[in-house]
Every structure is written in C-alpha cells, then in structure tokens.
Amino acid sequence: MTDTPLDPVIHAQARLRVVAALSTLGAGDQIAFPRLQEILAMTAGNLSVHLRKLEDAGYVEITKTHRGRTPVTLVALTHRGRMAFEEYTASVRALLQPPDIKEKT
C-alpha cells in the first residue's frame, strides 16, 4: 500500500472525469468546450466551475479564440496535469493492489 495521498484537486468525481477525458488527447491537443461538455454530459456552468479549479492548479489550459467571428473556448491538459493524473492513477492502483499475504507452514 502507498502512503501517497490522492490529489484532492483530481479526486472530486467531476474533475476526475474531466482529467480522464482530457488525458485521452495527445500532448498539445485541445478540445472545444461544447464537445467536452457533450462527452461528459455536464452542464456548462458545472463544467466551467471544475475547469476553473483545474486551471487554478495548473492542470488544464483554457484558450479563448475565434473561428471566423464565432468565439471558441478550447481546453487542453497541461504537462503538469498529465503528470498529476498519472501519479493519481498510480496511487489508486497501489491502493487497490492486494497485500502479499503468505501463510506460515
């Protein structure tokens, strides 16, 4: 078992879902906010709140731009966010690993 605490920023269910979804993108890839919202089946307000927490932690990067005259919000997992997610999943795996119990004979 590990003594490493689970990252409280990622551990919240909604943020874990966000980071897990973003981790499937390639490094440097971005996803449009509405598409992420659709994938996660979250309201825009709820997703925005969780993205702000992740952005404040440096785990996601939000880019606001335009395509033509239409505003577009793009979301990407940062390198720091990807590393935090990898550490988080390693900690969860360690917690779920059964102890090595040997019977005495």
Side-chain angles (χ1 to χ4, degrees), residues 6-80:
L6 296 175
D7 185 330
V9 175
I10 295 176
H11 193 63
Q13 181 184 4
R15 290 191 295 273
L16 177 57
R17 291 177 58 226
V18 170
V19 175
L22 293 174
S23 73
T24 65
L25 299 174
D29 287 346
Q30 300 173 312
I31 187 170
F33 180 92
R35 179 66 180 132
L36 182 61
Q37 180 186 353
E38 177 185 350
I39 290 167
L40 298 173
M42 295 173 74
T43 65
N46 193 22
L47 180 56
S48 292
V49 166
H50 291 294
L51 284 174
R52 174 61 54 104
K53 279 266 200 198
L54 292 165
E55 184 180 32
D56 289 347
Y59 292 174
V60 299
E61 180 178 55
I62 309 294
T63 305
K64 295 187 182 273
T65 187
H66 288 83
R67 287 194 182 139
R69 293 183 179 199
T70 307
V72 178
T73 300
L74 300 172
V75 183
L77 193 61
T78 64
H79 178 71
R80 179 177 178 179

